[in-house]
């Protein structure tokens, strides 16, 4: 791109190297979480939430398990002020939850903020002013010392107002635009605020270091955090917090590396809603921890419900490929992926497995309220035999032989490719049933009798083009006798019967399913499937299905220009043409 030279580095590395965090392999415990959905997330909405919507969203956050919730900027609007008062006056904040409010370091805003906080059982007062070189030079046109004075005077007023207001207050300071601030200056201004507030073990101060604009690669942010963590005054009595935005698409990485570098607390939003490209996504962060065997200390066991409520209250949509929560995030269309997942799930069913390790699935979807059916394997033109077989087994109980599964796979993929659509499980079953199950044309099985002497003798009644015929033959087994009756009397030549069967269901309504393959003189193999309450009858129906497919000797799913097929795909898709398995 021709304008790339107009951009230069606008972030600052620490004056001394801080890379101790690189020696840590992973995060071993969850940080403290603070939801900022109701402030940062809300102010990023085209239409901010109403008072009633904010109250409902607050209850959602409490139910998930957030212990710190930033509820707004009470001096910014009547709705924000009224919401805070409603929480306090109606005693809607649980005893183990601390609310947080944001205030600029300006006298009248601080004073109105404490007016709104009167009577709060536990509240964090979040004071901020911008410190970056760009803001100092372009917006405020103030020196470093003048910017420090803004922070210090604000901190002094916060301390004074807190002493005069009924309530229980903890203090938090953010050097807004931290990522664009020289590290020595960021450290100086934070320490000057700490000198005013004098944190203690019983009254810790939160220093929040926001990536107000994400400017660097994540490792630089981590080094900035580690430098601040190692040089802040009263470090044991300081809670070091981060608030990453997602301008470079690295919000989650910034937060994870910041925690490795010493951050103890993370401010973020559900699904990353926030200004510009969004805030750090707490759902992704928490479930990343979960995937490493770390308790995230948030209840995300029903992601579909959380996502639906978030979307309804914010009018924001969660992307289909959003980690963990997206509609398609656990879905595999690729044939090789489907095959590996299906085999991995089968492997888990075969014995006790202490750890989750299914290929292509980072976590068990059921742990967050997602379902295997409809979530994991879905069928389109990219799908393979493994996925198609998995769908039929999970939804309908069929355990197709490998070669039949492969042949069906090509049929299903061809239909999806021509129609340019995903196929639902009932449509996959419809294609299978129309092509292979209980076929009765051109030869319809009517009845048979079997007598065993030295071998089996049979009389098979069939209907061909409306005419009923009786076919007589013998064989060394019941199915062999029936097969001989067809081949000898109808002039059909085939060999190498391959046979397998299984129960399709259990109980009084149980059905048996049989699969038979026959091979014609050219070596071409034809599969048939039979379903019946009687196992012998299901075998006979499977044989007739195979013979009928051979007699037709045409691709049963050759599509015409209208996207129809020789066996009526439109009826299959609508469900009206799906044969009964009863």
């Amino acid at each position: 791109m021709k304008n790339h030279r107009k951009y230069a580095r606008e972030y600052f590395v620490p004056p001394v190297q801080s890379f101790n965090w690189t020696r840590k392999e992973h995060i071993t415990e969850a940080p403290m979480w603070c939801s900022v959905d109701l402030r940062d997330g809300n102010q990023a909405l085209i239409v901010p939430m109403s008072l009633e919507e904010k109250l409902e969203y607050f209850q959602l956050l409490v139910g998930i398990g957030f212990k710190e919730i930033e509820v707004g900027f009470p001096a910014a609007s009547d709705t924000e002020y009224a919401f805070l008062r409603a929480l306090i006056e109606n005693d809607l904040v649980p005893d183990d939850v601390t609310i947080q409010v944001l205030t600029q370091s300006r006298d009248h805003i601080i004073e109105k903020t404490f007016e709104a906080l009167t009577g709060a059982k536990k509240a964090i007062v979040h004071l901020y002013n911008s410190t970056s070189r760009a803001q100092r030079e372009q917006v405020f046109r103030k020196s470093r010392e003048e910017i420090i004075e803004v922070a210090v005077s604000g901190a002094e007023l916060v301390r004074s107002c807190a002493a005069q207001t009924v309530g229980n207050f903890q203090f938090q300071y953010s050097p807004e635009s931290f990522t664009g601030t020289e590290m020595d200056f960021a450290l100086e201004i934070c320490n000057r605020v700490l000198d005013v507030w004098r944190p203690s073990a019983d009254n810790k101060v939160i220093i929040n270091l926001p990536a107000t604009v994400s400017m660097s690669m994540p490792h630089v942010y981590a080094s900035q955090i580690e430098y601040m963590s190692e040089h802040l005054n009263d470090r044991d009595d300081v809670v070091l917090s981060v608030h990453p935005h997602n301008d470079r698409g690295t919000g989650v990485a910034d937060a994870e590396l910041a925690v490795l570098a010493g951050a103890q607390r993370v401010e973020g939003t559900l699904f990353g809603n926030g200004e510009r490209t969004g805030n750090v996504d707490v759902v992704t962060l928490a479930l990343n921890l979960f995937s490493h065997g770390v308790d995230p200390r948030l209840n995300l066991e029903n992601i579909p419900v959380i996502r639906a409520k978030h979307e309804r209250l914010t009018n924001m949509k969660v992307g289909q490929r959003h980690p963990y929560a997206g509609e398609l995030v656990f879905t595999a269309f690729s044939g090789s992926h489907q095959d590996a997942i299906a085999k991995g799930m089968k492997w888990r069913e075969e014995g006790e497995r202490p750890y989750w390790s299914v290929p292509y699935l980072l976590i068990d979807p059921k742990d967050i309220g997602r379902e295997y059916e409809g979530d994991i394997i879905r069928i389109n033109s990219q799908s393979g035999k493994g996925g198609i077989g998995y769908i039929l087994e999970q939804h309908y109980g069929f355990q197709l032989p490998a070669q039949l599964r492969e042949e069906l796979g090509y049929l299903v993929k061809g239909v999806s490719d021509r129609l340019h659509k995903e196929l639902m499980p009932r449509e996959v079953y419809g294609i299978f049933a129309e092509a292979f199950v209980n076929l009765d044309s051109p030869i319809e099985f009517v009845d048979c009798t079997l007598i065993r002497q030295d071998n089996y003798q049979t009389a098979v009644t069939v209907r061909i083009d409306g005419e009923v015929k009786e076919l007589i033959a013998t064989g060394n087994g019941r199915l062999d006798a029936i097969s001989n009756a067809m081949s000898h009397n109808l002039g059909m030549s085939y060999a190498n019967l391959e046979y397998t069967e299984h129960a399709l269901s259990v109980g009084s309504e149980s059905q048996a399913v049989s699969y038979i393959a026959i091979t014609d003189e050219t070596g071409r193999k034809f599969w048939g499937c039979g379903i019946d309450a009687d196992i012998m009858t299901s075998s006979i129906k499977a044989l007739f299905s195979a013979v009928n497919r051979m007699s037709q000797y045409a691709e049963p799913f050759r599509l015409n220009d209208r996207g129809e097929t020789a066996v009526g795909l439109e009826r299959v898709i609508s469900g009206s043409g799906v044969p009964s398995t009863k």
Side-chain angles (χ1 to χ4, degrees), residues 91-142:
D91 197 22
L92 297 177
V93 183
D95 291 341
D96 63 345
V97 173
T98 301
I99 55 175
Q100 177 171 304
V101 294
L102 185 68
T103 176
Q104 289 176 311
S105 188
R106 299 172 65 186
D107 290 1
H108 71 284
I109 294 178
I110 293 171
E111 289 164 355
K112 188 166 185 179
T113 298
F114 275 94
E115 176 187 306
L117 280 170
T118 301
K121 290 185 291 187
K122 286 193 298 183
I124 296 168
V125 181
H126 182 183
L127 176 74
Y128 77 95
N129 68 307
S130 192
T131 60
S132 70
R133 183 171 69 180
Q135 293 262 19
R136 297 195 318 265
E137 293 177 350
Q138 300 171 38
V139 180
F140 306 118
R141 303 198 177 192
K142 292 181 180 292

Side-chain angles (χ1 to χ4, degrees), residues 43-63:
Q43 72 187 43
L45 301 177
I46 296 172
V47 179
M49 285 181 273
S50 66
L51 175 62
E52 292 74 19
E53 288 170 333
K54 290 193 77 170
L55 286 169
E56 185 176 354
Y57 206 106
F58 179 79
Q59 294 301 327
L60 170 65
L61 296 171
V62 169

